[in-house]
Amino acid sequence: AKELGLWLLTQLPPDSQIAVLGVWAGARNRVEVPMGYWRMIERHGTRDQKRDGGWNYAVERRNRLKGQGYGSMTTAGLATLFICMDNLHGKDFVRCRANTDTAAIIRGMKWMDANFSATSNPKRAGHYYYYLYGVERVGLASGYKYFGTKDWYKLGAKALIARQSANGSWQGRLLETTFAMLFLTRGQHPVLFNKLQYPGMWNSRPRDLANLTRWISTSFERPVNWQIIHLGVPVAEWHDAPILYISGAAPPKFTDKDLTKLRDFVAQGGVILSEAACNNAPFDKGMRAAYAKIFPRYELKTLPADHPVYTLHYRIGAGRGLQGISNGVRLLAIHSPPEVSLAWQLRKYRSGADVFQLGANIYFFVTDKGILPPRGVSRWPKVNAFTPTETLKVARVKHAGNWDPEPFAWKRFAILMGNRHSVKVEIGPPTELTKLDPTVWPVAAMTGTTSFELTAAERAALSKFLSDGGTLIVDAAGGGERFTDAVEKEFKAALPGARYGMIPADHAMFTKVGPKIAKATYRKALRLAVFDSKKPRLRGFWLKGRLAVIFSPDDLTAG
């Protein structure tokens, strides 16, 4: 390795980058590489960095470009320094501190923020495809979703697709096509974690998620990535990943606007994972205060020893001390007062195996052991313009139980109905049973996770709403048995003459109205724990032969 390193010092930077990548691949596969090699490469990279923070070709040091970096070589220099950082400086972050990158990397990233382009090699003609390959390497190594305000993968993929030839190649050449394919394929690997950049010490362990996702990718032969996002972009930009990771070694400084964004991300289906780096008590206290504002109706509680995050794939002792906030359907947030980032940062694959396994369990729990979509596919639907073919007005029923566990569920449903079927769904305000009017809201929706009781007035109002032609859609959010038991008890009391039972598979709702429904999809955990069926399992209450109440004991709201 020493001879190779000395040889590299005399070569052009492109050769250096490719050679370093080869040595790095060997090191990741248990080839012993002396630390002196990585120090030599780091000295080489930092020595050749220009005053503007970029890099250029060594052979051009004496020409007119002297002192000015450009895109293709700046990405090569940065990618190389990130590899050196992983191999040389992991232990520099045992103690939490504010400055989490080397000076050369900080300067290089500032150059990228100021000069990134998806359509040309900045400050240099040619080598465009090699440059984009370097962009992909720096983007994945650094974790940053944006250079400046620009989403490097979205813009780069758009530019490459526009340039692809009819025969599938780029410029009809193998090398350019290879670089383009590497950008598109590696860059689109699913993103498992977003790491939140916020005012404060958010990045005390800069390589924690890089090492965790690399371990998960290798262990399960399923490539996953991570990235860094910030509070200055819309929540829609956060949905590349299902998990928002918030690490801190000082009190988090969230504004009310920031807290609203965090709440909206979770309401749209995301989960927050927070940890106190260096076991920082002020961060722990500050995060608890933030959670109390974000989720005022729910408590942060210690997760029991048999919770799936400890048992789903790996068996992990409950001594990890994880806490969670649940809406009765799913965990909205997972909080770890003891740090988890140190083991990830130091790549303690053996002595800290349980911490890596915990990360995998959280991954499988949040995704229901599902397959993540590629980068850029949002979990929250985009609103498309459409001309309504009909309008459906739906009131949401407010009752004494946990009546609104997923506040954005019907909003999501309305977007999908418009996008897919051109049906406009108007969602009414929360309405008590005693105020339901079928002439205003012909359909009402009721959900919950806990037991509840109806008053005599509410029972009478329910009976009148249905007798006057209204239709009620009811579901036990998350499949909660207590809510199901309460529905059956209270509705049978309110509707003594109604027939209650399973809705047959040949009912018009499944076969004639809208798309035909021959099978239903259930969450994997529910399917394995309760039943194994692909058929709809809806129940109903019939009044005078009319299906007046449609009830799902297996959830609709969370799905």
Side-chain angles (χ1 to χ4, degrees), residues 438 461-472 491 495 541 543 546 548-549:
L462 172 62
S463 177
K464 185 176 188 309
F465 172 75
L466 299 174
S467 297
D468 289 347
T471 298
L472 184 63
F491 280 42
L495 309 170
F541 285 87
L543 289 180
R546 182 180 75 90
V549 178

Side-chain angles (χ1 to χ4, degrees), residues 67-86:
Q68 177 175 292
Y70 45 85
S72 52
M73 293 322 305
T74 297
T75 57
L78 273 171
T80 298
L81 288 186
F82 272 111
I83 291 173
C84 293
M85 183 179 180
D86 277 348

Side-chain angles (χ1 to χ4, degrees), residues 149-435:
T149 59
K150 298 176 180 178
D151 184 331
W152 62 265
Y153 183 74
K154 180 189 294 184
L155 295 175
K158 181 179 179 181
L160 283 176
I161 291 171
R163 296 178 184 218
Q164 188 176 24
S165 301
N167 65 1
S169 73
W170 278 265
Q171 295 190 338
R173 300 175 61 180
L174 179 61
L175 186 60
E176 283 73 11
T177 300
T178 300
F179 284 140
M181 290 298 294
L182 283 170
F183 179 95
L184 292 172
T185 55
R186 281 177 48 83
Q188 75 161 357
H189 285 165
V191 182
L192 176 56
F193 294 98
N194 280 332
K195 189 172 190 177
L196 184 65
Q197 179 181 2
Y198 61 89
M201 294 181 65
W202 64 276
N203 201 27
S204 298
R205 304 280 165 62
R207 309 307 291 165
D208 48 4
L209 291 186
N211 294 329
L212 173 61
T213 53
R214 187 178 302 149
W215 178 84
I216 289 174
S217 299
T218 302
S219 299
F220 298 98
E221 298 182 348
R222 185 184 296 179
V224 292
N225 284 331
W226 68 289
Q227 66 184 11
I228 296 169
I229 55 97
H230 56 80
L231 291 160
V233 298
V235 175
E237 294 286 317
W238 297 8
H239 284 293
D240 284 339
I243 303 172
L244 180 66
Y245 176 63
I246 304 178
S247 178
K253 300 175 182 178
F254 295 128
T255 66
D256 289 343
K257 184 178 179 181
D258 297 336
L259 296 177
T260 297
K261 284 190 172 183
L262 294 174
R263 183 185 302 113
D264 286 352
F265 170 75
V266 174
Q268 292 175 0
V271 177
I272 297 174
L273 170 63
S274 56
E275 69 105 27
C278 288
N279 303 314
N280 187 270
F283 174 83
D284 177 49
K285 181 179 179 180
M287 204 64 216
R288 291 173 185 274
Y291 281 139
K293 292 180 179 179
I294 298 170
F295 309 114
R297 293 192 294 141
Y298 306 115
E299 282 185 71
L300 185 66
K301 298 180 179 179
T302 299
L303 298 180
D306 60 351
H307 193 279
V309 297
Y310 293 129
T311 63
L312 188 57
H313 187 83
Y314 295 102
R315 289 280 175 177
I316 301 168
R320 293 303 316 172
L322 293 184
Q323 298 175 325
I325 299 175
S326 174
N327 62 355
V329 177
R330 61 186 177 96
L331 284 183
L332 309 177
I334 301 170
H335 179 60
S336 180
E339 65 181 354
V340 292
S341 59
L342 181 61
W344 297 342
Q345 171 71 31
L346 298 182
R347 294 185 284 187
K348 292 187 174 182
Y349 300 130
R350 293 185 179 179
S351 61
D354 63 326
V355 188
F356 282 87
Q357 292 168 357
L358 182 66
N361 276 4
I362 291 172
Y363 162 31
F364 291 134
F365 174 72
V366 170
T367 62
D368 196 30
K369 288 192 173 182
I371 303 297
L372 292 170
R375 178 196 296 267
V377 178
S378 175
R379 288 155 183 78
W380 184 256
K382 180 182 177 182
V383 178
N384 298 328
F386 67 95
T387 301
T389 57
E390 59 180 303
T391 298
L392 175 65
K393 302 181 71 173
V394 181
R396 297 175 61 228
V397 175
K398 183 177 181 180
H399 57 83
N402 184 21
W403 65 274
D404 192 25
E406 296 285 359
F408 284 16
W410 275 92
K411 182 177 181 180
R412 179 187 180 91
F413 177 77
I415 295 172
L416 294 176
M417 285 294 288
N419 290 350
R420 297 178 181 179
H421 306 292
S422 297
V423 174
K424 181 180 179 181
V425 179
E426 293 185 6
I427 310 300
T431 305
E432 296 177 358
L433 280 169
T434 54
K435 297 180 180 179

